[in-house]
Amino acid sequence: MSEVYSMSQLDRRDFLKRAAAMTTGLMGAGLLQPRQAAAEPPVSPVAVRACKHYDRALIKQTLGRMFGDLGGLSGLVSGRKVGIKLNLTSLNGNVQTQHGVQFKYSDTTHPDVAYALAQLMIEAGAERVKFLESSYSATLSVEPLFASMGYNVPEFRALGNGSQVDFHDTRAAGEFFTGPHATPNGGSFNDYWEADPLTGAGAGPSYLFNKFYMNKWYSPAECDVFVSLAKQKGHDTCGVTLSSKNLFGCWPLSVYGSNATASIITDDRAGGSGPEEARTFGRSVSGHNGGWDPLGPVGAKLASEHGVSTYEGNRMPRLIVDLIRARPIHIAVIDGIMGSQPAWGPTNNSSVTTPGILVAGFNPICADAVCVGIMGQDPQAADGTGMFLSCKNYLNLAADKQIGSNDLSRIPIVGDPIWKVRYDYYPHVKKSGVIA
């Protein structure tokens, strides 16, 4: 059993050193490495601080204190290429609102949090910082796309030496597209990064997918340190949207975008169609509903192999765990200054929330578990209960794969305790699917 230390047992410096040693080597040169199965999943300290409103100076000061609580950023990011996955739901160039509030407050990563984090990364010695998100537009450039969510791209680009910070739309191969290729759709999987859950974080076989295809900005060659900059929200399919669920947006629509009539994307290297670079369909058919396994046996296990029903409450939590294994998260930061419940968007009996907190950690499962605790819920809740009323609890699934612990009694929390910043969320109404 891993040891858990409290501040009363040792001084703060030793506490942070020992807690960090229990993560999976995130502070080492190898960052996150595959683990052997253990009796208990690893734990890593999580920083929590109250931050009541959006103000760049306040947020930078707060995040700076939080990373100081965690032992600092420079040892992890200095001299490295940082990729930051934003949570910009429905990024399509339109300004969107919920209950009269712009999405940047209620549903997407606020630009002030992103700006402050980029400042801290540059000051900690990062070689460069790339903000990454997949859009639903095949025509708009990054400036109008991200401006629709409140991001002044030129202002971000001016940080550092003027060439260290930039934005990229990862909907397709983007800058890595070398075509058009002699394939039915004109794209090729050679222009994408192939991510394997079994060579990333955690241990044991994958739940659904043997591999994923992503834009190469997410690859280790382009992204030494991967950050999930998420929003604290409820979710109708996965219970909550935090740092782990944020990775669903890494799926390129050119590969996984689908609808009831769209042709299935197949591997051009085996005589198939290849990616469709202009595709802008959503991912619900291939992801949520399992209407088809993207790329068949090349990219996903066959249904007969994984034995999981197509009900989204069974499929999506498993998919999320496979994703965070394939593209390990080195730093999780959750914008909980404002959010929404029980699911994003103006429907779903939703409301805007104002928790007034920021959360950060070096293990996404530990960080997400603390967020669920702040939401007044149990991160170890059984499937079909608590925030996970209509789904499998992905935190339990991740703990079973040795990615990180969701046991609040084992996770060291630095900064503000949960009881001090608790802001209760209510779950989405129960769906009719059978959880298994």
Side-chain angles (χ1 to χ4, degrees):
M1 177 184 294
S2 300
E3 293 181 280
V4 180
Y5 299 90
S6 69
M7 294 299 285
S8 62
Q9 292 173 297
L10 65 165
D11 65 35
R12 179 177 177 275
R13 183 179 297 275
D14 285 341
F15 166 75
L16 291 171
K17 285 182 178 179
R18 297 189 191 187
M22 291 187 286
T23 61
T24 48
L26 285 174
M27 302 301 285
L31 299 176
L32 192 59
Q33 299 294 327
R35 291 180 49 85
Q36 299 297 316
E40 289 184 304
V43 295
S44 178
V46 175
V48 179
R49 291 278 180 180
C51 187
K52 296 299 183 182
H53 59 275
Y54 290 109
D55 174 86
R56 287 181 180 176
L58 173 64
I59 294 168
K60 182 186 178 187
Q61 179 187 52
T62 303
L63 284 175
R65 293 177 64 192
M66 292 166 67
F67 285 119
D69 291 338
L70 294 171
L73 272 178
S74 60
L76 182 58
V77 307
S78 181
R80 294 194 169 103
K81 296 171 284 190
V82 178
I84 302 177
K85 168 63 175 68
L86 299 169
N87 182 197
L88 302 182
T89 305
S90 300
L91 179 63
N92 59 16
N94 297 320
V95 176
Q96 301 177 67
T97 63
Q98 174 175 213
H99 303 301
V101 176
Q102 287 189 25
F103 264 26
K104 68 179 182 180
Y105 296 107
S106 61
D107 291 278
T108 59
T109 308
H110 196 281
D112 286 351
V113 181
Y115 190 89
L117 184 60
Q119 287 180 300
L120 291 170
M121 293 291 177
I122 295 298
E123 291 173 6
E127 177 185 326
R128 72 185 189 198
V129 176
K130 300 288 189 180
F131 286 104
L132 310 172
E133 181 60 297
S134 299
S135 81
Y136 286 84
S137 172
T139 58
L140 291 176
S141 66
V142 294
E143 287 85 354
L145 272 174
F146 288 89
S148 68
M149 294 294 183
Y151 286 74
N152 185 328
V153 172
E155 190 175 24
F156 276 78
R157 286 173 173 163
L159 288 169
N161 63 17
S163 64
Q164 289 176 278
V165 179
D166 211 344
F167 289 74
H168 298 278
D169 181 2
T170 58
R171 179 195 56 79
E175 295 93 332
F176 301 98
F177 181 62
T178 60
H181 299 275
T183 63
N185 286 333
S188 175
F189 283 97
N190 290 325
D191 294 339
Y192 291 77
W193 173 50
E194 184 178 298
D196 186 345
L198 302 186
T199 61
S206 58
Y207 285 116
L208 289 178
F209 283 78
N210 292 330
K211 62 185 69 176
F212 297 98
Y213 291 91
M214 301 182 191
N215 183 287
K216 288 184 178 180
W217 285 121
Y218 294 111
S219 71
E222 301 293 341
C223 177
D224 297 322
V225 179
F226 184 52
V227 183
S228 178
L229 179 50
K231 192 77 168 178
Q232 181 169 295
K233 299 180 289 186
H235 194 266
D236 60 333
T237 302
C238 292
V240 292
T241 289
L242 300 166
S243 70
S244 301
K245 171 64 174 58
N246 187 27
L247 265 60
F248 189 50
C250 294
W251 263 20
L253 303 187
S254 56
V255 176
Y256 301 101
S258 55
N259 66 11
T261 61
S263 60
I264 297 173
I265 298 296
T266 52
D267 194 342
D268 60 284
R269 298 164 299 184
S273 64
E276 185 180 342
E277 294 299 304
R279 183 171 286 207
T280 57
F281 300 123
R283 311 173 185 91
S284 60
V285 174
S286 56
H288 294 68
N289 304 323
W292 49 274
D293 284 325
L295 308 181
V298 176
K301 297 180 182 180
L302 296 172
S304 60
E305 293 177 328
H306 58 59
V308 177
S309 76
T310 57
Y311 171 54
E312 59 185 344
N314 293 325
R315 187 175 169 87
M316 281 298 293
R318 290 177 168 95
L319 189 158
I320 295 306
V321 174
D322 287 348
L323 270 171
I324 62 175
R325 293 188 65 189
R327 173 59 277 188
I329 298 169
H330 304 124
I331 304 174
V333 179
I334 296 96
D335 169 10
I337 298 175
M338 292 180 67
S340 62
Q341 62 178 354
W344 75 273
T347 58
N348 295 307
N349 191 31
S350 62
S351 63
V352 175
T353 60
T354 55
I357 53 111
L358 292 168
V359 177
F362 298 137
N363 184 297
I365 301 306
C366 295
D368 286 5
V370 170
C371 282
V372 173
I374 292 170
M375 297 162 89
Q377 301 285 346
D378 179 8
Q380 292 184 295
D383 300 337
T385 67
M387 286 300 289
F388 310 97
L389 199 59
S390 299
C391 59
K392 300 283 289 184
N393 182 346
Y394 80 87
L395 294 171
N396 289 339
L397 294 173
D400 288 344
K401 294 298 182 183
Q402 301 298 317
I403 300 173
S405 177
N406 59 332
D407 182 350
L408 292 179
S409 71
R410 298 184 62 231
I411 301 171
I413 298 174
V414 291
D416 291 327
I418 287 178
W419 63 263
K420 188 175 180 180
V421 295
R422 177 171 165 172
Y423 185 104
D424 288 359
Y425 275 56
Y426 55 83
H428 193 274
V429 295
K430 187 173 180 61
K431 296 184 176 183
S432 59
V434 177
I435 302 171

